[in-house]
Amino acid sequence: MRVLVLHSHPLDESYGRALYRQTCESLEKAGHEVDGCNLYAEGFDPVLSARDRSIYHTYPDNTDLVKPYVERLRQAEALVIVTPVWNFGFPAMLKGYFDRVWLPGVSFRLEDGRLTPTLRHIRKLSAVMTYGATPMRAFLAGNPPKKIVTRVLRAQIKLGAPVKYLAHYDMNNCTEQTRAAFLERVKTEMERF
Ligand SMILES: Cc1cc2nc3c(=O)[nH]c(=O)nc-3n(C[C@H](O)[C@H](O)[C@H](O)COP(=O)(O)O)c2cc1C
């Protein structure tokens, strides 16, 4: 499958980047065609400007400034997100990607107030997430990033597509062993993606 891997971590030497590298490498090893999208490295601009907002509903003009990203999304048959959790959401870089690229005419059609998802060609979705919080703290906070992946994004891709949410919680108390074990889990999951 052609897999779009979205990644947002500013530091090359971070654990998050190691997870991204492992994800891409293991997917490739399994024979997938990987489109690695490291948003910081690509200098993606996540800010939805006044101009962007004013033409937000005007397809295809709304895609003018993000055309290559729209093309990559349209070519994707599967999607993997590799990101840390910041303020119980996606980092602004990744949030901005969704705001600016998953546009009317791209991820959905809006006709007479009726919304139709248009990313049904995406047949599989996975997320590789890291949290500072424990699973209990994340649960008590409502775990918004988990809901975004397993409910919001799931609803926009192929109906019934498999969705997997892999998370290393409690990074505030992680050890070399917990990091290695999660990296190994990501490797295994991506090799049989
Ligand atoms: C700006 C910022 C906000 C954060 N907010 C949260 C949060 O709301 N919940 C949480 O569980 N962890 C939070 N964290 C912790 C990160 O999730 C954690 O540092 C990261 O997953 C560790 O991965 P890394 O070493 O690859 O950066 C935050 C970290 C930063 C830098």
Side-chain angles (χ1 to χ4, degrees):
M1 273 193 280
R2 188 175 162 83
V3 188
L4 175 62
V5 183
L6 293 174
H7 172 61
S8 66
H9 198 300
L11 297 177
D12 272 342
E13 68 277 16
S14 62
Y15 181 60
R17 185 76 90 255
L19 291 169
Y20 170 64
R21 277 195 224 103
Q22 185 66 66
T23 298
C24 294
E25 198 183 301
S26 298
L27 285 168
E28 266 161 14
K29 193 173 162 200
H32 297 293
E33 190 186 333
V34 174
D35 177 9
C37 182
N38 176 344
L39 292 163
Y40 278 95
E42 294 188 11
F44 182 79
D45 176 5
V47 177
L48 189 104
S49 67
R51 178 186 179 274
D52 288 346
R53 177 60 190 90
S54 67
I55 57 166
Y56 179 77
H57 285 102
T58 315
Y59 180 79
D61 298 1
N62 58 353
T63 63
D64 271 357
L65 297 174
V66 287
K67 248 190 195 120
Y69 289 94
V70 168
E71 270 320 297
R72 289 164 77 176
L73 179 61
R74 284 184 169 148
Q75 281 165 26
E77 295 169 300
L79 180 66
V80 179
I81 294 168
V82 185
T83 186
V85 168
W86 288 356
N87 289 294
F88 281 112
F90 290 155
M93 180 60 98
L94 185 57
K95 175 62 166 62
Y97 165 86
F98 284 105
D99 292 342
R100 294 197 66 219
V101 180
W102 289 45
L103 293 161
V106 177
S107 65
F108 63 95
R109 259 196 326 269
L110 195 57
E111 285 155 345
D112 303 326
R114 215 185 113 103
L115 193 145
T116 313
T118 51
L119 293 178
R120 299 299 194 204
H121 52 92
I122 296 181
R123 311 200 303 268
K124 213 163 188 180
L125 168 65
S126 286
V128 176
M129 314 288 293
T130 55
Y131 292 69
T134 60
M136 179 52 80
R137 244 194 85 216
F139 172 77
L140 292 174
N143 209 338
K146 188 171 183 181
K147 291 196 179 99
I148 294 284
V149 172
T150 61
R151 298 186 191 186
V152 180
L153 297 182
R154 164 182 261 146
Q156 297 180 68
I157 61 172
K158 183 178 191 281
L159 294 170
V163 177
K164 203 153 241 182
Y165 196 78
L166 309 172
H168 185 320
Y169 289 95
D170 203 14
M171 288 289 295
N172 293 334
N173 294 292
C174 68
T175 63
E176 211 166 292
Q177 284 74 27
T178 64
R179 288 194 302 271
F182 186 62
L183 203 59
E184 190 58 33
R185 187 171 165 221
V186 169
K187 179 174 184 280
T188 308
E189 291 288 350
M190 295 304 150
E191 282 179 5
R192 60 173 184 225
F193 185 80

